[in-house]
Amino acid sequence: MKSRSAVLLGSLTLALSACLPTLHGATQEPPLVGRPAVEALSYPPLRFDPPDPLQLDLANGIRVFLIEDHSLPLVDVFARFRGGSANFERSFLAATSAVPALLRNGGTRALTPDSVDALIEFYSLNMSFGSGGQSSFASVNSLQRHLDLALALWTDMLRNPRFDSVQVEVWRGRELDGVRRRADDPMSLAISRFNHVMYGDHPVGWIMDASDLEPEDLSRERLTRVHREIFCRDNLILGVTGAITPDEARTKLERTFGDLPACPREFVPAEAPRIRREPGVFLIPKELNQSTVIM
């Protein structure tokens, strides 16, 4: 037994001795770190060949760009509308910001907000609505077999918003809470002040405050006007990708957008902001253990 233990001990000693040079880096170069490691990377050249979309025009002049792709049984439809907060006076800032959110959460004339949510969940639809500057957008993603229902629901939300009063107040309360918390969020505070310094009273620099969120700023009349002037035929461009043929796309989109009303007015592009050119350092004193710097 003693002899066997001696053999095992000797074998273990030899194994450890063989490993020691490697463990101490004697026979292996240390790995590259930092910038040298990045510069040592090699990979084939990146190549991006974007597909060319097929252009369709509906009978009422709405332009459609289509990329047919049957690799998955999915269809995406994207709508971009000309018009946003920059195309209205400052007193409409809350209304132009609220309308896209209320298109999603405020229900339709025929469906309550809960009913819309139930349909979206049951059919696994993915919808988004938003706006910024001089444009607004909406999109829907659906399984191919549910596309007719998805388009019907999505266009109903776009064209016939309910502007549910409860949801309007929920949105207003959430935005007011964000305004109240802004002073406690160093980044939000710095961005809002920086925008004002750089752009003055141009729409690019507008940040909502409590005075923009009075109940009358979100009256049904204001919400309806914003919706009527943005979400109309002459402002719209459509994009479609996925498992759908050009003939199918044209037929379905004619059915859902063919009678979209004309726009009551044409938006004039907003003037470019007069950006501050003078150098300067602007300090917002805060009792914090860190700093936020924006250049």
Side-chain angles (χ1 to χ4, degrees):
M1 179 66 74
K2 187 174 182 180
S3 175
R4 183 181 178 187
S5 298
V7 170
L8 289 173
L9 181 61
S11 300
L12 180 60
T13 302
L14 288 173
L16 288 174
S17 299
C19 292
L20 283 176
T22 301
L23 292 174
H24 289 288
T27 60
Q28 184 178 2
E29 292 293 329
L32 296 174
V33 296
R35 187 181 185 90
V38 174
E39 293 176 342
L41 294 174
S42 62
Y43 44 84
L46 296 177
R47 184 184 178 95
F48 176 55
D49 296 314
D52 292 324
L54 175 67
Q55 181 178 317
L56 309 171
D57 288 326
L58 303 186
N60 60 5
I62 294 176
R63 184 152 296 176
V64 182
F65 294 96
L66 170 69
I67 297 178
E68 187 176 354
D69 179 6
H70 293 270
S71 58
L72 292 172
L74 296 171
V75 179
D76 285 276
V77 184
F78 182 86
R80 179 194 178 273
F81 294 86
R82 185 185 301 109
S85 58
N87 301 108
F88 293 81
E89 53 265 33
R90 171 66 190 247
S91 60
F92 276 77
L93 180 58
T96 54
S97 301
V99 164
L102 294 171
L103 293 180
R104 170 58 186 88
N105 300 316
T108 73
R109 294 173 194 167
L111 297 170
T112 64
D114 289 345
S115 298
V116 171
D117 288 342
L119 287 169
I120 290 174
E121 181 178 356
F122 184 82
Y123 289 100
S124 299
L125 308 179
N126 186 7
M127 294 188 184
S128 65
F129 299 81
S131 67
Q134 301 184 65
S135 65
S136 302
F137 63 85
S139 67
V140 60
N141 169 274
S142 169
L143 286 168
Q144 182 185 26
R145 67 177 183 270
H146 297 154
L147 181 59
D148 287 339
L149 181 140
L151 281 175
L153 177 61
W154 183 59
T155 52
D156 190 29
M157 295 164 71
L158 279 171
R159 298 182 59 173
N160 305 303
R162 176 186 291 251
F163 294 136
D164 182 82
S165 58
V166 173
Q167 292 300 322
V168 171
E169 192 58 29
V170 167
W171 185 89
R172 191 176 80 90
R174 186 167 58 242
E175 293 299 313
L176 279 172
D177 189 58
V179 169
R180 296 188 189 102
R181 294 174 182 271
R182 188 180 300 148
D184 299 322
D185 183 341
M187 183 60 71
S188 295
L189 179 62
I191 289 174
S192 64
R193 298 290 179 86
F194 180 82
N195 284 352
H196 184 71
V197 167
M198 290 299 296
Y199 305 111
D201 196 35
H202 189 276
V204 171
W206 285 349
I207 300 290
M208 271 193 297
D209 55 36
S211 64
D212 296 309
L213 291 163
E214 298 294 337
E216 56 268 24
D217 294 321
L218 292 164
S219 66
R220 176 169 291 274
E221 291 74 20
R222 290 198 177 203
L223 295 173
T224 301
R225 176 187 161 186
V226 168
H227 175 262
R228 183 177 64 251
E229 294 186 359
I230 291 178
F231 294 89
C232 48
R233 183 181 68 211
D234 308 303
N235 291 336
L236 175 59
I237 297 177
L238 289 167
V240 184
T241 63
I244 186 170
T245 66
D247 288 341
E248 290 172 332
R250 185 189 297 277
T251 299
K252 295 179 187 298
L253 295 176
E254 287 281 9
R255 184 169 62 242
T256 52
F257 289 102
D259 60 345
L260 194 66
C263 296
R265 71 178 174 109
E266 182 179 354
F267 290 125
V268 177
E271 293 184 3
R274 296 181 180 180
I275 302 174
R276 177 189 173 90
R277 302 296 182 186
E278 301 79 10
V281 177
F282 301 87
L283 175 66
I284 305 173
K286 294 285 288 183
E287 292 293 332
L288 297 172
N289 294 324
Q290 63 185 42
S291 298
T292 298
V293 180
I294 296 181
M295 294 186 291

